[in-house]
Amino acid sequence: MPRRIVSPARLHKFCVSLLKKVGLNEQHATIVADSLLFADLRGTDSHGVVRLKSYLERAQMGVMNVNPDMRIEHEYAAVALLNAQNGFGQIAGTKAMELAIRKAKIGGVALVGVKNSNHFGVAAFFATKAIQENMIGLAMTNASPAIAPYDSKVPLLGTNPFAVAIPALHQRPIVLDMATSLVARGKIRLAALAGREIPKDWALDSNGDPTSDPVAALKGSMAAIGGPKGSGMSLVIDLLCGVLTGSSFTGEVRNITDTSGPAKTGHLFVAMDIKMLGSALKFKRNMDNIILHIKSLPPVGGRTIYLPGEIEFDLENVRSVEGIPLEADVVASLRELATHYGVSIEALCIAR
Amino acid sequence: MPRRIVSPARLHKFCVSLLKKVGLNEQHATIVADSLLFADLRGTDSHGVVRLKSYLERAQMGVMNVNPDMRIEHEYAAVALLNAQNGFGQIAGTKAMELAIRKAKIGGVALVGVKNSNHFGVAAFFATKAIQENMIGLAMTNASPAIAPYDSKVPLLGTNPFAVAIPALHQRPIVLDMATSLVARGKIRLAALAGREIPKDWALDSNGDPTSDPVAALKGSMAAIGGPKGSGMSLVIDLLCGVLTGSSFTGEVRNITDTSGPAKTGHLFVAMDIKMLGSALKFKRNMDNIILHIKSLPPVGGRTIYLPGEIEFDLENVRSVEGIPLEADVVASLRELATHYGVSIEALCIAR
């Protein structure tokens, strides 16, 4: 089926309408829609509107709280803990990152943990909020089991992504947004659907042995980057996001598609004011110089050298103007949601 | 040549004597010796007394400052910047980590950057200082060029290691200490010396192509964990340690063996007080439970599951009592240093 080109503004409005239908207020619906569009505009399609159905389902079933009374449970000069009360991760994450930024303006650095939250979408959405304030931002989350503690057979740890955003002057910021697994599980699911083999370093079967069979891989665990290194990073992120926040034990986070109970997801956000360690202007000039220097290095085999986040910024520029390409089945599923929740969709696609 | 077993206490005293000979005061010599022994006791032999010769050489040549007037250049409630004045990284790092801990006791989290420093030894040496204070510690450093920005041919980035230490109650802390390269360069050097091939995923030749030739690998760059992921992490650590601190541009850090000028190394240290986000006791109990749970998981093919840092703690227990095994050529080189600097060494080895 051909792709359809969708207007970002109309897609955003559509998301807001749907989210309001399941009980979110205008402000909260806007934050979640912002996050979905942020992902779709920047090419992180796996975290865009394809997730909407699961979010709405969880909200409608009451597995997720659409009107949570999110509260700060602990607060000190440079740290705080926010209880998301089982609300949307995007809303809790936005509050937490904003609080970290406010605190970092005073002390130079601040850390805000979030407990009892849900899938927060794409990590860069939060980390990049620091950029506008001349700060470095860090966002991380735990996630449902996917990676095994090293040398064990059990996928106890999440892929546990994190994002770091570092501002530049005239150049685009550096935004590293990565999971601790070598590849996304979605790639393995696609290979399984297509009946294709996967490279042997992507995943392990349920015996912990490398496998090229995507079906065996989905029953086993995802390979972590660098073996014990990535697995160790995943564990550390789990301990910081889940255990330190009092959100969940390692292995307890529920997948977004599992509606048997709250997801018990935890996140951590850090903001750091660059001007407190020296001149912000000088730092950002240096960032520009380093970015330009790296871009000018001799590339491998005629490739283009991209800084972390650069491909995403390029896509955002294009898609903001030309629209977001969505697979026909994604558009069809949006139409189903429109019917199910009684929301208008007719003008979503841009005529070509 | 057979290994020799060395007394940790005598080796420490020997290190202190040597370091004092090149001009360090008792307190500073003790810190550096602590770091070297910490590495040798825990099996990180590459960062132990084998480095002593280079340190002493740099100090004696005046490439490194043995009596630096280390000063805080910027200080706010939760951040500070320490100018190491080209002194030992171990000394600057200890001061910086201690300052981060003091500040975190007040605000909950604190970050201290270090500029104009040198090789700081093993990162876990600093991160674990937070453990004793019921804090989580993070230490990172930039390093001399080894890894290429992704899809470039030039090893501009260091292996840029970091360590995170997280306390438990009765169980040993979790201490993840890792570089962003897949393997240590020392492994490739050993293969080159032995004329052995290396696995193709360890390194890239000077064209940026994977190579099994260790000699070509040493002329090229080290493979980062997870390709663009590890390379991106290395860049971020470089920007935080080198550029943010005003220490050096990416690619400017000198290797410990390069005595043509100051190393211009930068570090970053973070301390986080766990009790500010909830009960420290509850957190540490949860850590114990998670550690025991992971240890009890079914292992892959009869292996033993080790938590990050566990192998090192086991070795430390053994070597503290039984002594540190050193290769005969390392002992020989220590004897040379003893002669060169006029320090007694006779009783270093434990009779067996």
Side-chain angles (χ1 to χ4, degrees), chain A residues 68-307:
Chain A
D69 181 20
M70 294 187 186
R71 283 188 194 186
I72 302 291
E73 287 196 355
H74 301 283
E75 184 165 13
Y76 295 87
V79 299
L81 179 70
L82 177 72
N83 188 334
Q85 302 280 9
N86 196 28
F88 273 80
Q90 289 86 344
I91 298 164
T94 300
K95 280 184 195 290
M97 192 74 214
E98 285 171 359
L99 180 57
I101 289 168
R102 280 203 302 280
K103 285 179 170 296
K105 277 185 186 167
I106 301 163
V109 69
L111 177 155
V112 179
V114 176
K115 74 191 278 190
N116 297 338
S117 187
N118 282 280
H119 193 262
F120 78 2
V122 58
F125 178 68
F126 310 101
T128 50
K129 289 188 192 299
I131 297 287
Q132 303 138 25
E133 310 283 342
N134 269 337
M135 292 190 185
I136 293 170
L138 168 68
M140 59 178 81
T141 186
N142 62 2
S144 57
I147 291 175
Y150 193 65
D151 273 343
S152 90
K153 293 180 183 176
V154 183
L156 192 76
L157 310 166
T159 54
N160 296 359
F162 66 94
V164 188
I166 308 179
L169 191 62
H170 303 300
Q171 299 301 310
R172 271 93 58 97
I174 284 187
V175 182
L176 178 70
D177 187 348
M178 56 175 270
T180 56
S181 58
L182 191 67
V183 298
R185 198 200 283 260
K187 284 195 179 182
I188 299 178
R189 276 202 211 97
L190 283 179
L193 284 172
R196 276 197 320 266
E197 288 205 336
I198 53 169
K200 262 212 159 172
D201 57 351
W202 282 15
L204 309 156
D205 64 21
S206 53
N207 282 321
D209 295 319
T211 181
S212 53
D213 173 4
V215 178
L218 291 171
K219 287 179 194 157
S221 61
M222 308 284 301
I225 54 170
K229 296 188 176 190
S231 179
M233 286 174 58
S234 176
L235 174 61
V236 164
I237 294 174
D238 218 292
L239 297 172
L240 294 176
C241 293
V243 186
L244 182 66
T245 62
S247 201
S248 53
F249 255 47
T250 299
E252 281 185 348
V253 173
R254 277 200 179 80
N255 191 278
I256 187 174
T257 56
D258 172 358
T259 51
S260 65
K264 296 176 85 171
T265 311
H267 326 299
L268 205 74
F269 303 91
V270 177
M272 208 177 100
D273 196 343
I274 53 177
K275 73 172 177 295
M276 304 244 184
L277 292 185
S279 155
L281 182 64
K282 189 180 156 201
F283 174 75
K284 294 202 291 179
R285 268 205 199 111
N286 287 342
M287 284 290 295
D288 277 10
N289 288 332
I290 288 161
I291 290 167
L292 293 171
H293 178 52
I294 290 176
K295 293 290 287 176
S296 75
L297 293 176
V300 175
R303 294 186 206 156
T304 302
I305 297 167
Y306 290 105
L307 275 299

Side-chain angles (χ1 to χ4, degrees), chain B residues 42 131 166-175 287-288 291 295 306-317:
Chain B
R42 295 165 59 90
I131 298 287
I166 308 179
L169 191 61
H170 302 300
Q171 300 301 309
R172 270 92 59 98
I174 285 186
V175 182
M287 284 289 296
D288 277 9
I291 290 166
K295 291 291 287 178
Y306 290 105
L307 276 299
E310 192 181 355
I311 293 174
E312 288 79 4
F313 281 113
D314 282 349
L315 267 177
E316 190 177 15
N317 286 345

Side-chain angles (χ1 to χ4, degrees), chain B residues 37-117:
Chain B
L37 267 290
F38 181 94
D40 277 323
L41 282 170
R42 295 165 59 90
T44 322
D45 303 354
S46 58
H47 286 62
V49 292
V50 294
R51 300 275 179 161
L52 198 49
K53 196 185 168 197
S54 294
Y55 288 144
L56 295 169
E57 226 164 65
R58 293 184 78 80
Q60 208 185 23
M61 290 177 70
V63 182
M64 201 150 91
N65 190 348
V66 292
N67 193 17
D69 181 21
M70 295 188 186
R71 282 187 196 188
I72 303 290
E73 287 196 354
H74 301 283
E75 184 164 14
Y76 295 87
V79 298
L81 178 70
L82 177 72
N83 189 334
Q85 302 281 10
N86 195 29
F88 273 80
Q90 289 86 344
I91 298 163
T94 299
K95 279 183 196 293
M97 192 74 215
E98 285 171 358
L99 179 57
I101 289 169
R102 280 202 302 279
K103 286 180 170 295
K105 278 185 185 166
I106 299 162
V109 69
L111 178 156
V112 179
V114 176
K115 75 190 282 190
N116 298 338
S117 187

